[in-house]
Amino acid sequence: MKEMFVILIGSALVNNVVLSQFLGLCPFIGVSKKTETAAGMGAAVVFVMAIASTAASVIYTFILDPLNLEYLQTIVFILVIAALVQLVEMILKKKLKSLYNALGVYLPLITTNCAVLGVALTSVQKNYNIPQSILNGIGTALGFMVAIIIMAGIRERIEHNNVTKSFQGSPMVLLTAGLMAIAFIGFSGLL
C-alpha cells in the first residue's frame, strides 16, 4: 500500500510531467487562459492517461512482451492513445458541447501530447505491473491537472495587472511556468 501511495504522489508532485519533465507543454500553455477550460482539459487528460496507461500496460504485459515485440511499443501506444482521444472527443461533442468548443484544437492535441505517451513508456521502463501503471497514469494526470489549473488561475490574475509591455503575453507565461517549476522542486524532498 505504501509503495502505491509513493507512486501516486511521486508521479503527481515530485516528478510532475509538466514542471519537472517538461512534457505536454503545448496544451499546458495553450489551454491555461481560463480556469474552467483548464479544468476541462485536465479532466480529459486524467481520463485519457488513466485508460491509456492501463491499456498500454495490458498490451505490453500480455501481447508485446510474451511475443518479443517490445520494439513495437511506441507505435502501439500511439495508436491506443489516438483511439482513446477520439473516444473522449466524441463523448465531449455529444454530452458537453460548450467544453468541446472551448477546448477547440487542443483536444485533438492530446493525441500528440507527449505526456500521455511518456506515462505509458515510463510505466514500461520502470517495470510497473498493471495496478502500478494505472496509479502512475492517474498520478501523472492529476499532476498535469493541478499544474494547468494553477497556471490558469495565475494567468487570470495577471490579466488584470499592469505588466511591462516587454513581458506581456508569452514572456510572462513562460516566466510564470519557470517559477512554478522552481516551486515544485520543493516537493522533491517529500519522498
PDB file of all heavy atoms in Angstrom, residues 134-151:
ATOM      1  N   ILE A 134      -1.530   1.849 -13.626  1.00  0.00           N
ATOM      2  CA  ILE A 134      -2.762   2.635 -13.511  1.00  0.00           C
ATOM      3  C   ILE A 134      -2.547   3.804 -12.552  1.00  0.00           C
ATOM      4  O   ILE A 134      -2.906   4.943 -12.853  1.00  0.00           O
ATOM      5  CB  ILE A 134      -3.938   1.742 -13.054  1.00  0.00           C
ATOM      6  CG1 ILE A 134      -4.261   0.700 -14.128  1.00  0.00           C
ATOM      7  CG2 ILE A 134      -5.162   2.574 -12.716  1.00  0.00           C
ATOM      8  CD1 ILE A 134      -5.195  -0.398 -13.661  1.00  0.00           C
ATOM      9  N   LEU A 135      -1.944   3.531 -11.401  1.00  0.00           N
ATOM     10  CA  LEU A 135      -1.680   4.605 -10.430  1.00  0.00           C
ATOM     11  C   LEU A 135      -0.704   5.630 -10.978  1.00  0.00           C
ATOM     12  O   LEU A 135      -0.863   6.830 -10.736  1.00  0.00           O
ATOM     13  CB  LEU A 135      -1.150   4.026  -9.123  1.00  0.00           C
ATOM     14  CG  LEU A 135      -2.202   3.508  -8.162  1.00  0.00           C
ATOM     15  CD1 LEU A 135      -1.556   2.922  -6.929  1.00  0.00           C
ATOM     16  CD2 LEU A 135      -3.155   4.618  -7.769  1.00  0.00           C
ATOM     17  N   ASN A 136       0.301   5.177 -11.700  1.00  0.00           N
ATOM     18  CA  ASN A 136       1.247   6.101 -12.321  1.00  0.00           C
ATOM     19  C   ASN A 136       0.525   7.003 -13.320  1.00  0.00           C
ATOM     20  O   ASN A 136       0.754   8.210 -13.363  1.00  0.00           O
ATOM     21  CB  ASN A 136       2.381   5.328 -13.006  1.00  0.00           C
ATOM     22  CG  ASN A 136       3.438   6.238 -13.572  1.00  0.00           C
ATOM     23  OD1 ASN A 136       3.836   7.222 -12.959  1.00  0.00           O
ATOM     24  ND2 ASN A 136       3.906   5.910 -14.763  1.00  0.00           N
ATOM     25  N   GLY A 137      -0.372   6.432 -14.108  1.00  0.00           N
ATOM     26  CA  GLY A 137      -1.140   7.227 -15.069  1.00  0.00           C
ATOM     27  C   GLY A 137      -2.058   8.219 -14.386  1.00  0.00           C
ATOM     28  O   GLY A 137      -2.125   9.392 -14.770  1.00  0.00           O
ATOM     29  N   ILE A 138      -2.760   7.773 -13.366  1.00  0.00           N
ATOM     30  CA  ILE A 138      -3.671   8.670 -12.641  1.00  0.00           C
ATOM     31  C   ILE A 138      -2.887   9.764 -11.934  1.00  0.00           C
ATOM     32  O   ILE A 138      -3.249  10.941 -11.981  1.00  0.00           O
ATOM     33  CB  ILE A 138      -4.539   7.869 -11.655  1.00  0.00           C
ATOM     34  CG1 ILE A 138      -5.524   6.979 -12.421  1.00  0.00           C
ATOM     35  CG2 ILE A 138      -5.285   8.788 -10.697  1.00  0.00           C
ATOM     36  CD1 ILE A 138      -6.265   5.979 -11.566  1.00  0.00           C
ATOM     37  N   GLY A 139      -1.795   9.389 -11.280  1.00  0.00           N
ATOM     38  CA  GLY A 139      -0.976  10.387 -10.580  1.00  0.00           C
ATOM     39  C   GLY A 139      -0.386  11.419 -11.528  1.00  0.00           C
ATOM     40  O   GLY A 139      -0.401  12.616 -11.256  1.00  0.00           O
ATOM     41  N   THR A 140       0.128  10.953 -12.657  1.00  0.00           N
ATOM     42  CA  THR A 140       0.694  11.873 -13.645  1.00  0.00           C
ATOM     43  C   THR A 140      -0.378  12.811 -14.177  1.00  0.00           C
ATOM     44  O   THR A 140      -0.151  14.012 -14.323  1.00  0.00           O
ATOM     45  CB  THR A 140       1.335  11.077 -14.800  1.00  0.00           C
ATOM     46  OG1 THR A 140       2.352  10.228 -14.269  1.00  0.00           O
ATOM     47  CG2 THR A 140       1.945  11.999 -15.836  1.00  0.00           C
ATOM     48  N   ALA A 141      -1.553  12.267 -14.454  1.00  0.00           N
ATOM     49  CA  ALA A 141      -2.649  13.088 -14.969  1.00  0.00           C
ATOM     50  C   ALA A 141      -3.127  14.097 -13.926  1.00  0.00           C
ATOM     51  O   ALA A 141      -3.415  15.253 -14.263  1.00  0.00           O
ATOM     52  CB  ALA A 141      -3.794  12.197 -15.405  1.00  0.00           C
ATOM     53  N   LEU A 142      -3.206  13.677 -12.673  1.00  0.00           N
ATOM     54  CA  LEU A 142      -3.598  14.612 -11.624  1.00  0.00           C
ATOM     55  C   LEU A 142      -2.557  15.721 -11.461  1.00  0.00           C
ATOM     56  O   LEU A 142      -2.899  16.882 -11.224  1.00  0.00           O
ATOM     57  CB  LEU A 142      -3.818  13.876 -10.300  1.00  0.00           C
ATOM     58  CG  LEU A 142      -5.049  12.973 -10.240  1.00  0.00           C
ATOM     59  CD1 LEU A 142      -5.078  12.191  -8.928  1.00  0.00           C
ATOM     60  CD2 LEU A 142      -6.324  13.781 -10.418  1.00  0.00           C
ATOM     61  N   GLY A 143      -1.288  15.371 -11.588  1.00  0.00           N
ATOM     62  CA  GLY A 143      -0.229  16.379 -11.545  1.00  0.00           C
ATOM     63  C   GLY A 143      -0.354  17.372 -12.688  1.00  0.00           C
ATOM     64  O   GLY A 143      -0.179  18.579 -12.507  1.00  0.00           O
ATOM     65  N   PHE A 144      -0.674  16.871 -13.892  1.00  0.00           N
ATOM     66  CA  PHE A 144      -0.908  17.743 -15.043  1.00  0.00           C
ATOM     67  C   PHE A 144      -2.095  18.660 -14.771  1.00  0.00           C
ATOM     68  O   PHE A 144      -2.041  19.864 -15.027  1.00  0.00           O
ATOM     69  CB  PHE A 144      -1.168  16.904 -16.297  1.00  0.00           C
ATOM     70  CG  PHE A 144      -1.459  17.716 -17.531  1.00  0.00           C
ATOM     71  CD1 PHE A 144      -0.426  18.181 -18.317  1.00  0.00           C
ATOM     72  CD2 PHE A 144      -2.765  18.024 -17.897  1.00  0.00           C
ATOM     73  CE1 PHE A 144      -0.685  18.945 -19.458  1.00  0.00           C
ATOM     74  CE2 PHE A 144      -3.028  18.774 -19.017  1.00  0.00           C
ATOM     75  CZ  PHE A 144      -1.986  19.232 -19.807  1.00  0.00           C
ATOM     76  N   MET A 145      -3.166  18.086 -14.223  1.00  0.00           N
ATOM     77  CA  MET A 145      -4.374  18.862 -13.945  1.00  0.00           C
ATOM     78  C   MET A 145      -4.109  19.953 -12.904  1.00  0.00           C
ATOM     79  O   MET A 145      -4.533  21.094 -13.077  1.00  0.00           O
ATOM     80  CB  MET A 145      -5.487  17.932 -13.470  1.00  0.00           C
ATOM     81  CG  MET A 145      -6.829  18.580 -13.317  1.00  0.00           C
ATOM     82  SD  MET A 145      -8.027  17.271 -12.973  1.00  0.00           S
ATOM     83  CE  MET A 145      -9.487  18.223 -12.730  1.00  0.00           C
ATOM     84  N   VAL A 146      -3.388  19.610 -11.847  1.00  0.00           N
ATOM     85  CA  VAL A 146      -3.044  20.598 -10.823  1.00  0.00           C
ATOM     86  C   VAL A 146      -2.217  21.728 -11.428  1.00  0.00           C
ATOM     87  O   VAL A 146      -2.492  22.917 -11.210  1.00  0.00           O
ATOM     88  CB  VAL A 146      -2.294  19.927  -9.647  1.00  0.00           C
ATOM     89  CG1 VAL A 146      -1.617  20.956  -8.757  1.00  0.00           C
ATOM     90  CG2 VAL A 146      -3.241  19.064  -8.839  1.00  0.00           C
ATOM     91  N   ALA A 147      -1.220  21.371 -12.220  1.00  0.00           N
ATOM     92  CA  ALA A 147      -0.337  22.381 -12.821  1.00  0.00           C
ATOM     93  C   ALA A 147      -1.097  23.297 -13.771  1.00  0.00           C
ATOM     94  O   ALA A 147      -0.913  24.526 -13.744  1.00  0.00           O
ATOM     95  CB  ALA A 147       0.819  21.699 -13.549  1.00  0.00           C
ATOM     96  N   ILE A 148      -1.972  22.744 -14.607  1.00  0.00           N
ATOM     97  CA  ILE A 148      -2.677  23.574 -15.594  1.00  0.00           C
ATOM     98  C   ILE A 148      -3.713  24.472 -14.913  1.00  0.00           C
ATOM     99  O   ILE A 148      -3.917  25.615 -15.327  1.00  0.00           O
ATOM    100  CB  ILE A 148      -3.286  22.714 -16.726  1.00  0.00           C
ATOM    101  CG1 ILE A 148      -3.634  23.592 -17.934  1.00  0.00           C
ATOM    102  CG2 ILE A 148      -4.497  21.955 -16.267  1.00  0.00           C
ATOM    103  CD1 ILE A 148      -4.014  22.809 -19.178  1.00  0.00           C
ATOM    104  N   ILE A 149      -4.347  23.994 -13.845  1.00  0.00           N
ATOM    105  CA  ILE A 149      -5.324  24.829 -13.134  1.00  0.00           C
ATOM    106  C   ILE A 149      -4.617  25.943 -12.375  1.00  0.00           C
ATOM    107  O   ILE A 149      -5.088  27.090 -12.364  1.00  0.00           O
ATOM    108  CB  ILE A 149      -6.207  23.962 -12.209  1.00  0.00           C
ATOM    109  CG1 ILE A 149      -7.146  23.100 -13.060  1.00  0.00           C
ATOM    110  CG2 ILE A 149      -7.007  24.821 -11.241  1.00  0.00           C
ATOM    111  CD1 ILE A 149      -7.950  22.081 -12.275  1.00  0.00           C
ATOM    112  N   ILE A 150      -3.489  25.643 -11.747  1.00  0.00           N
ATOM    113  CA  ILE A 150      -2.716  26.698 -11.067  1.00  0.00           C
ATOM    114  C   ILE A 150      -2.265  27.751 -12.074  1.00  0.00           C
ATOM    115  O   ILE A 150      -2.386  28.953 -11.832  1.00  0.00           O
ATOM    116  CB  ILE A 150      -1.513  26.100 -10.304  1.00  0.00           C
ATOM    117  CG1 ILE A 150      -1.988  25.280  -9.108  1.00  0.00           C
ATOM    118  CG2 ILE A 150      -0.559  27.198  -9.846  1.00  0.00           C
ATOM    119  CD1 ILE A 150      -0.879  24.493  -8.423  1.00  0.00           C
ATOM    120  N   MET A 151      -1.756  27.297 -13.214  1.00  0.00           N
ATOM    121  CA  MET A 151      -1.309  28.234 -14.253  1.00  0.00           C
ATOM    122  C   MET A 151      -2.463  29.093 -14.740  1.00  0.00           C
ATOM    123  O   MET A 151      -2.311  30.306 -14.927  1.00  0.00           O
ATOM    124  CB  MET A 151      -0.681  27.474 -15.417  1.00  0.00           C
ATOM    125  CG  MET A 151      -0.296  28.363 -16.582  1.00  0.00           C
ATOM    126  SD  MET A 151       0.922  29.606 -16.156  1.00  0.00           S
ATOM    127  CE  MET A 151       2.355  28.885 -16.853  1.00  0.00           C
TER     128      MET A 151
END
